[in-house]
Amino acid sequence: YQPSRAPSIPKCEETGGQFKVAGPLWLGPLHDFDIVDEAVSRLEKPGGTEFQLQTKARLHGLLTAVSEELSDVPLYYTLPDLCHTLRCASPPLNKVKAALVNAGYRVSAYHKEPQAIKTDAPNRIVWDVMRAWCKENPVKNSKKKEKEKKRRRLF
């Protein structure tokens, strides 16, 4: 399965690329936070489970990540995908988060993808942060001139 290109939708203002068609998309809450909180408290309580869990630490980490996730933001960005588009090295996740928080937006991790962020920042702000990173940390060896020309158009 490959996402198709939408013929009548304009190009992305930030990258100049065509939008991909996908769906359906669930926009409602993914988690019941009362149940997540109850599960975390049971894992933290000594003897809180009736049986021995071999993956207790891993499960606790996952549930903690879920509980800290922005519940009203349905989509997420993966840093490797953003950096692939810009042809730059991936910045540290905490630097991207700090830049978005300093710009006045909320940011969280995404429980399923370690290199992803969820934020209420508009696309243009996320791309501005990534472009700033690329300017401070330029690609040292660009082998293909065409790729470099495409990258420069984004700035």
Side-chain angles (χ1 to χ4, degrees), residues 11-135:
K11 293 186 178 191
C12 175
E13 294 175 3
E14 299 300 323
T15 65
Q18 288 184 323
F19 288 108
K20 293 181 180 178
V21 177
L25 177 64
W26 176 260
L27 296 177
L30 292 178
H31 316 289
D32 184 336
F33 288 103
D34 293 334
I35 292 173
V36 171
D37 292 339
E38 174 67 22
V40 169
S41 66
R42 285 187 183 188
L43 285 172
E44 291 173 345
K45 187 169 49 171
T49 58
E50 298 174 13
F51 47 89
Q52 184 67 27
L53 290 174
Q54 301 251 341
T55 59
K56 182 177 178 179
R58 186 172 166 201
L59 183 59
H60 187 274
L62 176 65
L63 290 170
T64 302
V66 165
S67 69
E68 295 172 352
E69 194 172 298
L70 293 175
S71 62
D72 59 337
V73 178
L75 303 176
Y76 62 92
Y77 298 91
T78 59
L79 290 185
D81 290 342
L82 295 172
C83 293
H84 177 76
T85 300
L86 293 173
R87 313 272 191 262
C88 68
S90 188
L93 190 62
N94 61 349
K95 286 195 175 196
V96 175
K97 285 182 175 182
L100 292 169
V101 168
N102 287 333
Y105 299 98
R106 297 178 303 141
V107 181
S108 75
Y110 178 57
H111 72 278
K112 195 73 174 150
E113 179 66 46
Q115 287 294 308
I117 58 169
K118 291 178 82 172
T119 181
D120 60 351
N123 287 337
R124 64 180 173 76
I125 300 298
V126 174
W127 284 106
D128 286 347
V129 168
M130 294 305 297
R131 281 191 286 262
W133 166 260
C134 290
K135 282 185 180 181

